[in-house]
């Protein structure tokens, strides 16, 4: 099997992995680790590529390039979703902290101090 065929096989496997929805938080770490492992294998294969290529390898390479664009789009969507979830977690932590420290800014003499002005 040539390197281009191996690269096509790994790229197809990665695309199949990315077709699934992002799993729940419990399985997310293993899912991301598996994607990372496949990406590393794919990167190693891409570094081994060297011309000259036959016509069949060129055609297969074009298919791999098309799949790579799909992979990039899906990875960017996952990254956006993870950033959004992370932002929501940070906001909920901030809100919980502010709720827990609601009276931290109260002065001793009973005057109300508005921090917003």
């Amino acid at each position: 099997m040539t390197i281009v065929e191996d690269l096509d096989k790994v790229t197809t496997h990665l695309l199949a992995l990315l077709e699934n929805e992002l799993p729940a938080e419990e399985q997310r770490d293993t899912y991301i680790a598996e994607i990372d492992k496949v990406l590393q294998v794919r990167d190693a294969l891409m570094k081994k590529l060297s011309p000259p290529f036959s016509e069949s390898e060129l055609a297969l390479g074009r298919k791999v390039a098309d799949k790579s664009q799909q992979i990039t789009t899906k990875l960017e969507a996952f990254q956006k979703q993870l950033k959004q979830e992370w932002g929501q977690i940070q906001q909920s932590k901030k809100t919980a902290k502010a709720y827990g420290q609601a009276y931290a800014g109260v002065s001793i003499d009973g005057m109300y101090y508005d921090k917003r002005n």
Side-chain angles (χ1 to χ4, degrees):
M1 203 178 254
T2 66
I3 293 176
V4 177
E5 291 170 342
D6 289 340
L7 181 62
D8 180 52
K9 186 177 179 180
V10 170
T11 302
T12 303
H13 176 65
L14 180 60
L15 192 57
L17 277 175
L18 293 173
E19 289 293 327
N20 302 326
E21 290 289 323
L22 199 59
E25 292 180 31
E26 298 84 30
Q27 297 104 10
R28 191 169 288 172
D29 289 339
T30 57
Y31 180 71
I32 291 173
E34 185 175 353
I35 288 174
D36 187 47
K37 184 180 82 173
V38 174
L39 282 171
Q40 288 176 3
V41 170
R42 186 172 178 264
D43 185 47
L45 286 172
M46 289 181 84
K47 287 179 181 177
K48 290 181 183 178
L49 284 176
S50 62
F53 299 112
S54 67
E55 286 297 318
S56 63
E57 289 176 336
L58 287 174
L60 197 55
R62 287 186 203 102
K63 289 180 184 178
V64 168
D66 290 340
K67 290 177 186 177
S68 293
Q69 288 177 346
Q70 293 174 3
I71 288 171
T72 302
T73 304
K74 290 184 182 300
L75 285 174
E76 287 172 353
F78 279 161
Q79 182 183 20
K80 184 178 177 182
Q81 183 179 355
L82 290 172
K83 279 185 178 182
Q84 183 180 17
E85 288 178 12
W86 181 252
Q88 289 173 350
I89 290 169
Q90 293 300 322
Q91 183 63 34
S92 66
K93 283 183 179 181
K94 192 177 189 182
T95 304
K97 184 177 180 182
Y99 181 75
Q101 298 176 350
Y103 299 107
V106 176
S107 65
I108 297 174
D109 63 354
M111 290 178 42
Y112 177 73
Y113 176 68
D114 189 6
K115 289 185 180 179
R116 287 180 253 167
N117 290 330

